[in-house]
Amino acid sequence: MPIDRRNFLTGTAVALMGLRPASAQADYIAELYAKAKQEGELTWYSVYWPSDRSEKHGAIFSKAFPGVKVNVVRSTAQVAYQRLSQDLQANAANCDVFATTDMGQYVALKDRGVLLPYKMRSIDQIDSRFHGVDPDDAYQIVNATTVGLAYNTNKLKPEQAPKSWKEFIDPKWKGQSVVGHPGFSGFVGTWVVQMNKLYGWDYFEQLAALKPHVGRSIIDTVTVQVSGERSIGASPSALVLRNAAQGNPIAVSYPEEGSVLMISGSAILKNSKHPNAAKLFMEFLYSSETAAEDIEEFGVPLRRDTILPAGFKKLDDLKTIRPTIAEIIKGIPELTEKWRDTFGV
């Protein structure tokens, strides 16, 4: 018996998913929702959004798809991966959708055969640069952002701020910089791999000599600069721009070598207890609503129809650099150990 979309898709769901009410895509989502509603919930291990926005997004999904609850478990990339690894070792199906900033984790999980391949039906609405990250669709790119330089505008004028990653380690910045930790943040780990690729480990030995403030999450770097505790940082540009728009004393300085392009992924666990709810949530991650949240948080649109906020640069107008996934897989574990030896944290 065919499913009546009017009974299974709310107006909110149609709007935020960017669906045409009478379409094959709407039919598919309606069928998926009917099955997901029988499952009743899913658990989302969330890394790339902070806790408040993760909880908010879970609530938006549940409002659009009543009867399907999202249990949000938010942590940093390495903590989330450790939690998932413990789940798998114990044969505990606690996670349905795993979303992390460390793309190398997906390669390791795929090699273990624990991911359920799934290609979102709404992929055609996504910028083609973010298609096909895995040829078998074991995981997908669900957002992107950039890490660049930032500075406190109460302490520095634009012409005084560092203009390159190389200048970030100039001795004049001793006691004035802030960075995250690659042992906790996938974004920081990727940044470390890229800087090591550009300049070798001597870059970090010079940075350590400047006594930077080392936080955990890369988000912490913005908080420290806004407070005035430190003047410059390696920070997510979108978060800096959002803080500046709110009147905080911080600004972006785009490094001459290029901002580091960060991609985050999402995947369904093969042992998921709620596979249809998980698939529905994956589709939701490509929705108009998610794109609006993403652009505010990360500044790089995946959907082609997303409107950029004032002050944000289009990806085509921004010079970016990025290590390969293979370099990330090899580099983050090795360089995190070197980081601990060099920085003592």
Side-chain angles (χ1 to χ4, degrees):
M1 179 178 179
I3 291 173
D4 184 346
R5 287 190 301 272
R6 291 172 297 178
N7 291 335
F8 284 94
L9 282 185
T10 67
T12 302
V14 170
L16 70 84
M17 294 292 290
L19 300 171
R20 297 193 310 275
S23 66
Q25 177 71 356
D27 284 340
Y28 173 73
I29 296 298
E31 291 171 7
L32 203 54
Y33 175 35
K35 296 173 183 176
K37 197 170 183 181
Q38 292 177 350
E39 294 170 351
E41 63 180 346
L42 71 133
T43 296
W44 177 35
Y45 282 15
S46 170
V47 170
Y48 50 78
W49 277 336
S51 297
D52 57 345
R53 196 175 287 271
S54 295
E55 293 287 352
K56 175 186 175 184
H57 211 58
I60 291 171
F61 174 86
S62 294
K63 182 178 180 181
F65 298 101
V68 188
K69 177 186 176 184
V70 182
N71 304 304
V72 178
V73 180
R74 199 277 165 185
S75 60
T76 58
Q78 305 310 326
V79 172
Y81 187 64
Q82 183 180 34
R83 182 194 295 269
L84 181 61
S85 297
Q86 291 171 345
D87 290 346
L88 294 169
Q89 186 174 3
N91 198 28
N94 294 329
C95 176
D96 297 296
V97 177
F98 181 69
T100 184
T101 55
D102 184 345
M103 296 301 294
Q105 293 175 353
Y106 291 115
V107 177
L109 292 168
K110 179 185 175 183
D111 287 346
R112 294 170 64 180
V114 299
L115 300 181
L116 178 69
Y118 183 71
K119 183 177 181 179
M120 284 85 106
R121 298 291 184 93
S122 46
I123 188 106
D124 290 343
Q125 299 175 50
I126 303 301
D127 188 313
S128 60
R129 282 171 287 198
F130 302 110
H131 291 202
V133 64
D134 177 62
D136 302 311
D137 293 315
Y139 48 93
Q140 306 287 348
I141 295 174
V142 292
N143 67 40
T145 191
T146 57
V147 169
L149 293 163
Y151 63 98
N152 182 294
T153 56
N154 286 341
K155 294 193 170 189
L156 299 173
K157 296 178 180 179
E159 60 270 20
Q160 296 174 314
K163 304 297 189 298
S164 69
W165 290 118
K166 190 68 172 177
E167 191 180 343
F168 186 60
I169 59 170
D170 189 298
K172 68 182 178 182
W173 303 119
K174 187 170 185 177
Q176 297 188 56
S177 60
V178 56
V179 293
H181 195 300
F184 295 95
S185 168
F187 281 176
V188 178
T190 301
W191 172 74
V192 169
V193 171
Q194 181 61 50
M195 292 303 103
N196 184 66
K197 183 177 178 179
L198 285 176
Y199 298 117
W201 195 252
D202 182 62
Y203 182 90
F204 292 102
E205 291 175 343
Q206 293 181 57
L207 177 60
L210 303 183
K211 305 297 182 185
H213 176 104
V214 180
R216 286 195 172 193
S217 171
I218 200 166
I219 295 170
D220 299 338
T221 66
V222 176
T223 304
V224 170
Q225 288 174 88
V226 167
S227 72
E229 184 179 346
R230 295 294 168 111
S231 302
I232 62 171
S235 305
S237 299
L239 182 58
V240 173
L241 290 167
R242 194 167 80 247
N243 269 263
Q246 294 168 350
N248 291 311
I250 194 168
V252 171
S253 176
Y254 295 100
E256 294 170 356
E257 301 95 328
S259 299
V260 183
L261 179 63
M262 306 287 181
I263 56 175
S264 299
S266 189
I268 301 172
L269 273 297
K270 186 176 287 187
N271 67 353
S272 169
K273 294 179 180 178
H274 315 102
N276 294 295
K279 290 176 183 178
L280 185 62
F281 191 76
M282 289 280 281
E283 294 287 347
F284 175 67
L285 293 179
Y286 276 176
S287 68
S288 301
E289 179 68 30
T290 299
E293 295 280 318
D294 271 343
I295 200 65
E296 184 176 321
E297 187 74 31
F298 298 113
V300 177
L302 263 64
R303 282 181 65 105
R304 295 190 302 271
D305 57 359
T306 305
I307 298 174
L308 281 170
F312 284 67
K313 287 191 175 186
K314 294 180 180 178
L315 189 56
D316 289 337
D317 299 331
L318 184 62
K319 182 178 180 181
T320 61
I321 51 178
R322 174 174 170 76
T324 65
I325 291 180
E327 288 169 335
I328 291 170
I329 293 169
K330 183 176 186 296
I332 288 182
E334 293 180 0
L335 297 181
T336 297
E337 290 307 310
K338 293 185 73 171
W339 175 284
R340 290 192 171 105
D341 290 340
T342 301
F343 288 84
V345 291

